[in-house]
Amino acid sequence: DVVMTQTPPSLSVAIGQSVSISCKSSQSLVYSDGKTYLHWLLQSPGRSPKRLIYQVSNLGSGVPDRFSGTGSQKDFTLKISRVEAEDLGVYYCAQTTHFPYTFGAGTKLELK
Amino acid sequence: EVQLVESGGGLVQPGRSLKLSCLASGFTFSNYGMNWIRQAPGKGLEWVASISSSSSYIYYADTVKGRFTISRDNAKNTLYLQMTSLRSEDTALYYCARGGHWGQGVMVTVSS
C-alpha cells in the first residue's frame, strides 16, 4: 500500500499568515496515463471533506486562488497564502493512483 | 448541482449486517466510478471500496474484503454498500464520494 506521510500534524497560524503542508508518498504517484492523482482535501469542523486541489495543482470548483499545490512523483506541497478564518480545519492529502487509495493522517490548522 | 445523499446507517450488533445506500443526482450517474470512504470517530479518512461506472471493476480495502460488497443500480442512480459480519472497528461515518463531491455521510455504530 502507498503510505502518505503528511507534515506537520498541526499548525497554529494567525489570520493573514501563509503556511505550507507537506505530503510525501512511499512510491511514485504517476499513473500509466502520465497523470499524477494526488489531491488535497479540507474538512472543516463538523463538515464533509471538500476537495481543494486535484491532480497536484488544479484548483477545485469555487476554491480561492489563495490555495496552491505543487510537487511531483513522491513529494507534494499545499500552500495557503493569507490564511482566513474559513480555512481552519483538517487538511488531508489523498492518492488515487494506486489501489488501495490512501490518505495522509491530516494536518490540523488552528488559529493562533 | 451534484448531490450525494447517504442513508441506511444506524446501531447494529456485532456480527450483524447493514446496507447503505447513496442516491446521486445532478450528474449522469452511469458515467462515473463511485467510492465509499469512512471516518471513525475522531480519526482520519479510510477508503473502503470503489466501483467503476458499469460495475466491471470493483476494489476493496483489505479491512473489509470478504465482508462488504459494493454495488450500484444505474437505473436508480444509487450506490450501495452491503456490510456483513460487522465489527466494532467498522463504527464510522460512511461517505459516498465521486471525484471532488462527497455526501454528508451516514453513521454506522457497531455495538452490543
Side-chain angles (χ1 to χ4, degrees), chain B residues 10-54:
Chain B
L11 174 63
V12 61
Q13 293 178 328
R16 304 297 290 261
S17 301
L18 202 60
K19 187 172 185 176
L20 306 183
S21 299
C22 171
L23 178 62
S25 60
F27 66 101
T28 304
F29 181 71
S30 59
N31 286 352
Y32 291 89
M34 298 293 296
N35 308 281
W36 287 102
I37 294 157
R38 68 184 180 183
Q39 186 170 36
K43 302 297 185 182
L45 301 168
E46 179 190 15
W47 170 79
V48 173
S50 296
I51 186 168
S52 62
S53 58
S54 61

Side-chain angles (χ1 to χ4, degrees), chain B residues 1-110:
Chain B
E1 178 195 3
V2 172
Q3 285 201 321
L4 300 168
V5 180
E6 301 94 338
S7 60
L11 174 63
V12 61
Q13 293 178 328
R16 304 297 290 261
S17 301
L18 202 60
K19 187 172 185 176
L20 306 183
S21 299
C22 171
L23 178 62
S25 60
F27 66 101
T28 304
F29 181 71
S30 59
N31 286 352
Y32 291 89
M34 298 293 296
N35 308 281
W36 287 102
I37 294 157
R38 68 184 180 183
Q39 186 170 36
K43 302 297 185 182
L45 301 168
E46 179 190 15
W47 170 79
V48 173
S50 296
I51 186 168
S52 62
S53 58
S54 61
S55 305
S56 298
Y57 300 98
I58 289 175
Y59 303 90
Y60 296 100
D62 284 347
T63 51
V64 307
K65 198 174 294 182
R67 301 188 299 121
F68 289 13
T69 302
I70 188 172
S71 63
R72 64 191 296 160
D73 185 334
N74 286 344
K76 295 183 178 179
N77 289 347
T78 302
L79 176 72
Y80 303 101
L81 186 67
Q82 175 70 55
M83 305 184 292
T84 64
S85 302
L86 282 161
R87 307 166 180 168
S88 58
E89 54 264 38
D90 296 318
T91 294
L93 188 60
Y94 284 73
Y95 294 103
C96 163
R98 184 223 101 184
H101 302 280
W102 294 60
Q104 83 286 353
V106 62
M107 189 66 202
V108 173
T109 303
V110 183

